[in-house]
């Protein structure tokens, strides 16, 4: 199940063509590519996890978390994973919303790749999960790049949730973003 964005990044003449980002399930065979971003301290800075220390740790994560998760996808460039994106569904009274998360190898930052991946995932999720009315994302107030990604992808900044959770030993303020299915234009 590979999905292509077909979106143009508007950067003619750049060293690589980032206009054909695809999403597909992350597999055990992707471990070497996974470890590129999973071991990077810059990437892990705003994530709930610390940089991975071993390939075995990465394989366990893929086996136990990624493979059972129906909406955890690799962000691929030429079919090679350079990051990941997921939507975590809720249940019960919260089933109308899902939480978006993403990560990208630091060498690909600032190229519009995650913005394309977020738009592609929103398109997929709102078409295939018709009961889902809201995608939301919580972003650390200091993670300005990620805030820009969501704004460019059409998410609305709803406000700051103060001292929302503990991240790496410190309580953090988070910015809440949302995209409603009624807002989404394909």
């Amino acid at each position: 199940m590979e999905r292509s964005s077909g979106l143009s990044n508007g950067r003619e003449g750049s060293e690589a063509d980032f206009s054909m980002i695809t999403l597909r399930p992350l597999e055990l065979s992707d471990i070497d590519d996974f470890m590129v971003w999973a071991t990077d301290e810059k990437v892990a800075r705003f994530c709930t996890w610390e940089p991975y220390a071993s390939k075995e740790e990465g394989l366990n994560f893929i086996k136990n978390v990624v493979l059972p998760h129906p909406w955890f996808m690799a962000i691929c460039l030429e079919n090679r994973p350079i990051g990941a994106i997921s939507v975590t569904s809720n249940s019960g009274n919260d089933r109308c919303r899902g939480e978006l998360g993403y990560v990208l190898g630091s060498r690909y930052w600032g190229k519009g790749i995650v913005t394309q991946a977020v738009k592609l995932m929103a398109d997929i999720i709102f078409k295939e999960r018709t009961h889902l009315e809201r995608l939301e994302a919580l972003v650390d107030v200091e993670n300005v790049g990620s805030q820009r990604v969501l704004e460019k992808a059409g998410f609305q900044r709803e406000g700051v949730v103060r001292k929302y959770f503990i991240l790496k030993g410190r309580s953090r303020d988070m910015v809440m973003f949302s995209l409603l299915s009624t807002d989404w234009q394909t």
Side-chain angles (χ1 to χ4, degrees), residues 6-7 22 52 67 73 77 102 109 114-115 130 136-137 148 160:
L7 300 171
T22 57
Y52 282 61
L67 294 179
M73 308 290 269
L77 183 60
Y102 46 82
W109 291 357
V114 175
T115 301
T130 54
E136 60 188 27
R148 277 196 306 265
V160 175

Side-chain angles (χ1 to χ4, degrees), residues 68-85:
H69 192 304
W71 294 102
F72 195 110
M73 308 290 269
I75 300 171
C76 297
L77 183 60
E78 297 174 2
N79 203 38
R80 287 197 65 180
I82 59 171
I85 189 167

Side-chain angles (χ1 to χ4, degrees), residues 69-112:
H69 192 304
W71 294 102
F72 195 110
M73 308 290 269
I75 300 171
C76 297
L77 183 60
E78 297 174 2
N79 203 38
R80 287 197 65 180
I82 59 171
I85 189 167
S86 67
V87 173
T88 303
S89 295
N90 293 300
S91 59
N93 292 337
D94 295 325
R95 69 184 174 278
C96 64
R97 62 186 171 87
E99 186 170 344
L100 179 74
Y102 46 82
V103 63
L104 186 70
S106 59
R107 78 178 266 209
Y108 298 101
W109 291 357
K111 299 179 185 335

Side-chain angles (χ1 to χ4, degrees), residues 27 36 61 69 73 113 130 176 179 182:
E27 301 164 352
V36 171
F61 176 76
H69 192 304
M73 308 290 269
I113 292 170
T130 54
M176 175 67 80
L179 180 68
T182 54

